[in-house]
Each structure stands twice: as structure tokens, then as C-alpha cells.
Amino acid sequence: MRLILLGAPGAGKGTVAKLLTKMDGSVQISTGDILRAAVKAGTELGKKAEAAMTAGELVSDDLIMGIMGERLLEDDCKAGFLLDGFPRTIPQAEALKVLLEKLGIELDAAVNLNVPRDVILDRLTTRRTCTDCGAIYNVKSNPPKQEGVCDACGGSVVQRDDETEEAISKRLDVFNEQTAPLVGFYEGEGMLLDINATSSDVVVDAIKAKIGA
Ligand code: AMP
């Protein structure tokens, strides 16, 4: 399948993407994960992205399109892909449209995960992430067996720099201003699947029904 996953930070895009990749071998492409890996490795890309990320702001469209232009050409995308956290602005959505037309690739849908703001805030402030493998935990509903240690890889499980209350509030403002308009964009393209997304199972079932999987 080839999907765009839209939704606020904490709406469950990553969780849903992980469930969907198990169904048909599609690959999850998270621009946030790519950028965090670059920051950790101290690459040029990481140095350019770090300040904006920590402040909860968006990295430039040019930088993101440079990453995605290369990423979508990789072999593992042939089995399908789930775009998690991209596109994030109207210019990114327009550039993606041109890129996919050039590559002759059609998307199945742009899925919008609707989650109330209070649920989002609660999820983000209690979310913890493994710095090594990116596994996601929640201090209330899904803590690692040993505090601070990843069950999957033994890496350290921490609160992300951009998940302080101040950065979260900034990220939600940025989402409302720059990313929420994508819902209208994809509605206009006839591609929108809008879902009340408080449970990831409901989302996966709605997507399966839509694309006939
Ligand atoms: P995420 O893990 O998707 O919430 O992304 C974390 C941070 O990475 C965001 O707050 C942005 O600073 C940056 N980022 C990720 N994806 C994009 C994108 N498509 N466009 C611009 N910035 C992005």
C-alpha cells in the first residue's frame, strides 16, 4: 500500500504505520526518525535540522524534499510505503505530487488521524522513546519492563527534547498553522480518508476497508 499518514504529533501515525507494515511489507518512512538519526550521528543534515527540531519548529521544505527525493527511490519502497510525518506543509505536498507523477507512482489515500487535543497532550507528555531503535513507550500505559531501558534493544528510553511542555505546545501550534491545511489539500485531490483515531485498531480496520486489503 502507498499511504500518507496525516495527523497532529501524538495522533498515532507511527503506531499505525508499524501495524500496517506488518500486513504487506510496505516500509514506514518517518522524516522525524530520519532527522533524529542524523542529529544523533552528527551529520551535516543533523546539524542543519537540530535547532528547529528542539524548538518544535519545522525544518525547511528544501531540506525535507532533498531527503524524500532520495528516500523514495530506494529499493524497499517498491513494496509500498507509509509516509509518517511527511508532507507537513502545502509546498511539501505540492512537491511530493510532482515527484510521484515523475516516478509514475499513485497513492492509495491520505489518511487523517483525528484525535482530540487533550488526548494528544496527555500522550505526548507521557511518551518515552528509545534513543537507539526508536521504540515508543508510555509511562502510564506501556512502560518498559525496566525503567529507562528498552525491552527490544537495551538502549536508553528517554523523553525526547521536543516533548517538553513548551516544545509540545509549539509543535501543536505549528501543526494547526502549517500541517492542518493539508486535510483540505488532499480532500481536493479526492484522496482523503478522515478517521476518528482514538484507537489504532479502528484506524487499521478503516484503512483496510478503504484500500481493500
Ligand atoms: P516527528 O517525529 O514527525 O514529530 O518530527 C519531529 C520534528 O522533526 C518536527 O517537529 C520537525 O522539527 C521535524 N520534521 C519532521 N518531519 C518534518 C517535515 N516533513 N517537515 C519539516 N520538519 C519536519
Side-chain angles (χ1 to χ4, degrees):
M1 68 186 90
R2 296 188 180 86
L3 297 177
I4 293 171
L5 297 171
L6 297 171
K13 302 182 295 294
T15 306
V16 166
K18 284 190 178 66
L19 293 170
L20 293 171
T21 55
K22 289 188 192 138
M23 282 170 45
D24 72 348
S26 303
V27 64
Q28 174 189 7
I29 303 179
S30 154
T31 39
D33 284 350
I34 294 171
L35 293 169
R36 276 185 289 279
V39 170
K40 195 173 170 206
T43 63
E44 277 308 303
L45 169 65
K47 284 179 197 148
K48 285 183 189 152
E50 189 169 14
M53 290 175 75
T54 308
E57 285 163 6
L58 292 185
V59 171
S60 80
D61 290 334
D62 283 352
L63 209 61
I64 295 290
M65 288 318 300
I67 297 171
M68 290 306 294
E70 287 180 13
R71 184 66 187 88
L72 286 169
L73 293 178
E74 286 178 30
D75 265 357
D76 60 353
C77 292
K78 290 192 179 127
F81 50 78
L82 305 157
L83 302 181
D84 162 9
F86 169 84
R88 210 74 159 223
T89 62
I90 295 283
Q92 288 180 22
E94 282 166 346
L96 174 66
K97 186 177 172 187
V98 173
L99 180 64
L100 293 177
E101 273 166 13
K102 206 164 86 188
L103 297 174
I105 295 174
E106 268 193 42
L107 296 172
D108 295 307
V111 182
N112 183 39
L113 310 188
N114 267 308
V115 180
R117 189 182 165 101
D118 55 331
V119 176
I120 295 273
L121 279 174
D122 186 56
R123 276 190 196 167
L124 287 179
T125 48
T126 53
R127 182 156 85 173
R128 301 292 181 269
T129 307
C130 173
T131 53
D132 286 357
C133 74
I136 304 286
Y137 296 91
N138 184 288
V139 286
K140 286 191 199 159
S141 58
N142 175 33
K145 289 192 185 79
Q146 189 185 335
E147 197 184 330
V149 180
C150 179
D151 296 345
C153 78
S156 58
V157 173
V158 300
Q159 184 167 32
R160 278 168 38 181
D161 287 346
D162 63 355
E163 287 178 353
T164 60
E165 264 185 62
E166 193 187 349
I168 288 169
S169 155
K170 176 73 189 166
R171 284 165 70 203
L172 291 177
D173 289 347
V174 167
F175 171 78
N176 287 330
E177 281 159 27
Q178 303 196 53
T179 309
L182 293 183
V183 172
F185 178 90
Y186 286 111
E187 194 168 23
E189 298 283 309
M191 284 172 53
L192 186 69
L193 174 61
D194 205 27
I195 305 176
N196 279 331
T198 25
S199 133
S200 44
D201 290 342
V202 170
V203 178
V204 170
D205 288 346
I207 292 172
K208 281 203 257 183
K210 161 87 178 173
I211 66 172

